[in-house]
């Protein structure tokens, strides 16, 4: 099944930001486009807004003037739903209410031809449930664009329980012909991105709720060590705290209140207080004009150690050994020890976070995971309250000697980046095992949909097959609520690796 022919009219119902964006994408791709909104005059206003944006694209040299003029002639506001009868695709972007969407598609089904593709842009409702109102749910599919639709490349093509393969394929190929990067997805709560991204927000909030670090520090660690484009607190402020919490709550409810998706009480209180982020002028941060910018906690300058003793290769942090040598600090290797830590001159130890708490061990400072230890500009350290001042000073001084800012946070297992990445990897493996999407599509979705530096399976290959399982297993022992219990899919992945290594 190929993409829709460019001569085929495409309709968009609902003319808010997302509806206008989808219409613009189809229009620029070359389709005749019909715009409809139940509110009188809204379709005409939306058409004018789209044409104004096309004018700006011409001014910026991103669109040819002749292409703009041709697009103008293909855009038609519709005053009545019946004017969409000859369309080959009708996509809706109306209110996120199941009854509203079902009623709309019942009406459309009576108007359009039997081979017209019907699509919903829902981000939180079940595609299967919406399509269940139709006599022929086989032609119904989810086309989940990301905001702003003209700029964001990703489109999740969601097959409901009754969606025909031919309909899903036609939708997929049409999205690709529009210049988008489609990924195929089964109808699961949150689809790919909103399902697998939950730990990015949840773990930052959990660290905050444990009083281990403030929002500015957590955000800085996620950006400067984890390589994420934005931290969780600044991103939810941008999205809107009410919107982000609503998606989290929807996924949690849809998974029958699975503890892995439990919403945050701290975020609930923020929403209840009306602090919704940028749009209200106050969220986790203050956006009032002249407001003082919140800065991350950064440790004072400390003296670096003259040497370290490397016991093992530090696993995913092995690159640090070369960086330490380049900084002029002697690395003595203990060839008889097969651990994964550094021993400092004062006798204290420095280790990559592994899901344990520092209070369980004597004189140990943990450091957090980094996407790339050479490029990272900040490293987080975690220590118990009874850590010796010398050990902590040597640990801070060591990373400062490598050119890093250092943030010392509370004694939370898994710290910030490591626990976040481990949970994302786990949910991704679980999604593949349950037929939600392929590994390749999940990696693509997370990189393009939320700008992650690596997809979950890219992270998994980089860190080692059993890394995420081992860290989550340790976290689960310390928090047996089930939040950190590794999935069966991740267990199989890690165990298969150990079995092969044991017989090789």
């Amino acid at each position: 099944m190929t993409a829709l022919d460019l001569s085929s009219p495409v309709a968009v119902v609902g003319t808010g930001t997302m509806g206008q964006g989808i219409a613009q994408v189809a229009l620029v791709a070359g389709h005749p486009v019909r715009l409809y909104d139940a509110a009188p005059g809204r379709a005409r206003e939306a058409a004018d807004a789209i044409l104004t944006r096309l004018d700006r694209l011409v001014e910026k040299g991103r669109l040819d003037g002749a292409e703009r003029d041709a697009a103008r002639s293909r855009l038609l506001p519709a005053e009545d739903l019946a004017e969409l009868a000859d369309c080959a695709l009708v996509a809706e972007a109306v209110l996120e209410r199941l009854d509203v969407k079902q009623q709309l598609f019942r009406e459309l089904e009576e108007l359009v031809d039997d081979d017209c593709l019907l699509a919903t842009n829902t981000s939180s409702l079940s595609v299967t449930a919406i399509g269940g109102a139709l006599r022929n749910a086989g032609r119904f599919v989810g086309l989940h664009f990301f905001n702003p639709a003209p700029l964001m490349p990703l489109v999740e093509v969601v097959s409901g329980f009754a969606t025909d393969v031919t309909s899903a394929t036609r939708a997929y190929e049409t999205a690709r012909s529009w210049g988008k990067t489609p990924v195929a997805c089964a109808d699961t709560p949150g689809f790919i991105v909103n399902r697998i991204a939950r730990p990015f927000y949840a773990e930052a909030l959990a660290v905050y709720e444990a009083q281990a670090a403030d929002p500015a520090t957590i955000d800085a660690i996620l950006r400067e060590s984890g390589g994420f484009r934005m931290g969780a607190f600044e991103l939810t402020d941008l999205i809107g705290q009410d919107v982000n919490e609503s998606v989290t709550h929807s996924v949690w409810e849809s998974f029958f209140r699975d503890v892995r998706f439990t919403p945050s009480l701290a975020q609930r209180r923020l929403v209840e207080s009306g602090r919704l982020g940028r749009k209200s002028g106050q969220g986790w941060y203050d956006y009032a004009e002249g407001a003082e910018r919140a800065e991350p906690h950064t440790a004072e300058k400390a003296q670096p150690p003259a040497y370290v003793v490397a016991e093992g290769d530090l696993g995913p942090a092995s690159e640090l050994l070369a960086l330490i040598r380049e900084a002029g600090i002697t690395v003595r290797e203990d060839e008889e020890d097969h651990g994964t830590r550094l021993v400092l001159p004062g006798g204290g130890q420095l280790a990559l976070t592994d899901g344990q708490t520092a209070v369980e061990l004597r004189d140990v400072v943990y450091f957090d995971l980094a996407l790339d230890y050479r490029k990272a500009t900040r490293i987080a350290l975690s220590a118990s309250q009874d850590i010796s001042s010398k050990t902590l000073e040597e640990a801070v001084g060591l990373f400062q000697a490598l050119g890093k800012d250092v943030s010392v946070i509370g004694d939370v297992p898994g710290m910030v980046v490591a626990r976040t990445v481990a949970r994302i990897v786990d949910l991704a493996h679980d999604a593949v095992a349950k037929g939600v999407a392929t590994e390749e599509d999940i990696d693509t979705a997370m990189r393009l949909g939320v700008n992650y530096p690596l997809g979950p399976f890219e992270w998994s290959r980089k860190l080692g097959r059993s890394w995420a399982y081992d860290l989550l297993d340790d976290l689960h022992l310390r928090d047996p609520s089930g939040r950190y219990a590794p999935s069966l899919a991740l267990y199989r992945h890690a165990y298969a690796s150990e079995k092969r290594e044991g017989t090789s």
Side-chain angles (χ1 to χ4, degrees), residues 400-442:
Q400 289 176 339
L402 307 186
K404 318 297 184 187
D405 286 328
V406 176
S407 292
V408 180
I409 69 171
D411 184 15
V412 287
M415 300 187 67
V416 178
V417 179
R419 68 198 287 177
T420 299
V421 170
R423 288 206 59 216
I424 288 171
V425 168
D426 182 47
L427 289 185
H429 277 279
D430 185 52
V432 169
K434 292 177 178 172
V436 173
T438 64
E439 291 186 8
E440 181 181 2
D441 276 357
I442 287 175

Side-chain angles (χ1 to χ4, degrees), residues 102-425:
Q102 286 181 330
Q103 181 58 35
L104 170 64
F105 284 111
R106 285 193 194 98
E107 294 177 22
L108 286 169
E109 191 173 39
E110 298 301 320
L111 296 171
V112 299
D113 292 337
D114 290 342
D115 60 351
C116 175
L117 195 63
L118 299 177
T120 175
N121 182 61
T122 185
S123 61
S124 61
L125 299 176
S126 163
V127 171
T128 300
I130 300 171
L134 301 175
R135 293 193 310 275
N136 176 17
R139 60 163 159 178
F140 188 73
V141 66
L143 277 178
H144 182 217
F145 288 76
F146 288 74
N147 194 32
L151 298 180
M152 294 294 283
L154 184 70
V155 177
E156 293 177 319
V157 181
V158 186
S159 293
F161 187 78
T163 303
D164 292 335
V165 173
T166 53
S167 298
T169 303
R170 179 186 291 175
Y172 183 99
E173 294 299 333
T174 297
R176 186 158 63 176
S177 74
W178 291 355
K180 296 302 180 182
T181 302
V183 292
C185 175
D187 184 20
T188 183
F191 309 142
I192 297 175
V193 172
N194 280 331
R195 171 180 175 150
I196 295 174
R198 295 344 298 161
F200 181 74
Y201 314 109
E203 293 313 306
L205 286 161
V207 172
Y208 168 77
E209 289 175 328
Q211 300 292 293
D214 59 274
T217 300
I218 295 169
D219 278 352
I221 294 166
L222 286 167
R223 286 194 316 268
E224 299 172 40
S225 184
F228 293 95
R229 185 167 296 186
M230 297 181 75
F233 294 95
E234 57 189 340
L235 180 55
T236 52
D237 268 358
L238 178 64
I239 295 168
Q241 296 300 330
D242 53 340
V243 174
N244 183 259
E245 194 215 20
S246 176
V247 173
T248 298
H249 197 272
S250 174
V251 172
W252 177 59
E253 289 282 6
S254 298
F255 275 113
F256 309 105
R257 300 196 171 188
D258 187 327
V259 68
R260 295 176 301 167
F261 302 103
T262 302
S264 161
L265 181 59
Q267 188 175 42
R268 174 93 290 265
R269 291 292 179 260
L270 199 70
V271 172
E272 289 173 339
S273 71
R275 298 186 174 191
L276 306 181
R278 288 180 179 270
K279 63 185 177 184
S280 70
Q282 176 80 53
W284 293 111
Y285 300 105
D286 186 352
Y287 298 96
E289 186 175 351
E292 186 176 346
R293 178 175 176 173
E295 296 294 336
H297 168 74
T298 302
E300 297 292 333
K301 188 69 176 175
Q303 186 69 27
Y307 70 90
V308 294
V309 178
E311 296 183 346
D313 63 3
L314 299 188
S318 58
E319 187 180 20
L320 282 175
L321 297 178
L323 297 180
I324 293 169
R325 291 187 179 98
E326 290 169 18
I329 298 172
T330 301
V331 176
R332 302 174 184 173
E333 297 191 31
D334 186 342
E335 297 180 359
E336 295 183 3
D337 195 295
H338 300 289
T340 54
R341 56 189 178 272
L342 297 174
V343 179
L344 300 165
Q349 298 181 17
L350 185 61
L352 176 63
T353 185
D354 57 4
Q356 298 184 74
T357 54
V359 74
E360 301 171 51
L361 306 168
R362 182 179 178 275
D363 218 18
V364 168
V365 174
Y366 279 116
F367 63 92
D368 206 351
L369 181 68
L371 171 67
D372 183 326
Y373 283 98
R374 183 173 293 276
K375 294 180 180 179
T377 57
R378 182 177 300 272
I379 294 293
L381 301 181
S382 175
S384 66
Q385 292 182 343
D386 59 357
I387 189 76
S388 76
S389 58
K390 182 170 182 58
T391 295
L392 186 57
E393 180 181 1
E394 288 178 336
V396 169
L398 175 65
F399 281 104
Q400 289 176 339
L402 307 186
K404 318 297 184 187
D405 286 328
V406 176
S407 292
V408 180
I409 69 171
D411 184 15
V412 287
M415 300 187 67
V416 178
V417 179
R419 68 198 287 177
T420 299
V421 170
R423 288 206 59 216
I424 288 171
V425 168

